[in-house]
Amino acid sequence: HTFAASSKCGEHFADGILCGMFDWCENHETLSPILEAALGYAKSSEDQHLEVLDVGCGTSTLPWALWNQGQRRVHAIDIDAAVIKSQQSLHNAEGLFFVEADITRQSLGEERFDFAVDKGTMDYLLCGELSAALQALSTVRRSLRRGGVLLLISIHPVSLWQAILKALKGHISFIELDSWSVPASTGDDRTAALALRRLDDVDDQMDGAQEAVARVMEQHFTTEAPLLTAERLDALREVWGEAEAKKTVEEAHVLLFPSAAEQAEYPMELFLEDLAEFLQTDPSKATLSLVDAEKFLGENQ
């Protein structure tokens, strides 16, 4: 879900790296009980039909699944025009809308939706400019009706999102209704989900929000979930081979971040940006030794 969070990410589709439908985190079937519970928080009656927003739909099956289970007004948005065109060609149903939109730059309107779901868009945006991620969250919040619910699904742990939301109190305010930590269907990672209600009487105040969240992120990634761990170093040394062996940038990216989730969260274009700062030169034709790789991890906690 939302692998097409930017035009550069859309290149993954064009290059054929990902074909057909792709679901970030877990698929709809796995997350269905959580989705049903979160939808329940947005309903005032059991048979109420909601105006639903899918944030950064990508090529996920989620918009169709929401519509097919009875939410007959589903608005799925994505920044990538090719993704929207593909979804429109696959799913032609009354009340199911696919719209190109950039939530970091444009409004979705005020108080339009009863329920919104974000499955990975914030994950992707947090890899880039924090200001853009916060603007996107504010845009979604303002698009919710008073008392509307956002279901936030993420590869980051519930505890990190709770800390971020606490830091955003008075800036972009939600209250937590429920949270879940779902074991991954493959691997050891877990998927986090939080049901959040828009507070009725608080307007977004962006001053100081970026600094507050930056402190939370710094704390998390340096002490609670550091990039450089003994386990990661052992695994890296095992797959690298000879310590003096030089790897291309592409090879190093795969060895440093072996899982599909890590590569999606930290794609090659972002790796190149950080590598350029680390090497102080154009990284496109550079090669890295194991020592270089370990130093890079240490400096990019």
Side-chain angles (χ1 to χ4, degrees), residues 193-205:
L194 297 93
L196 310 171
R197 190 182 303 282
R198 170 185 170 160
L199 290 180
D200 290 347
D201 56 352
V202 180
D203 292 327
D204 293 352
Q205 301 292 330

Side-chain angles (χ1 to χ4, degrees), residues 126 130 156 160 164 212-222:
L126 285 173
L130 190 52
H156 296 305
L160 174 58
I164 289 174
V213 174
R215 288 192 292 270
V216 170
M217 300 284 285
E218 180 75 14
Q219 170 72 14
H220 177 78
F221 288 110
T222 55

Side-chain angles (χ1 to χ4, degrees), residues 51-55 73-77 95-98 112-113:
E51 290 282 341
V52 175
L53 171 67
D54 183 3
V55 182
R73 297 281 296 180
V74 178
H75 305 256
I77 63 170
L96 179 56
F97 309 98
F98 292 95
R112 290 180 59 194
F113 305 108

Side-chain angles (χ1 to χ4, degrees), residues 254-290:
V254 172
L255 294 175
L256 285 165
F257 310 102
S259 73
E262 285 184 318
Q263 290 177 33
E265 184 184 8
Y266 190 44
M268 177 61 74
E269 55 265 24
L270 295 181
F271 178 54
L272 287 172
E273 289 177 11
D274 289 340
L275 202 57
E277 185 174 344
F278 171 73
L279 296 172
Q280 293 297 301
T281 187
D282 179 5
S284 59
K285 295 185 175 13
T287 57
L288 281 76
S289 67
L290 179 59

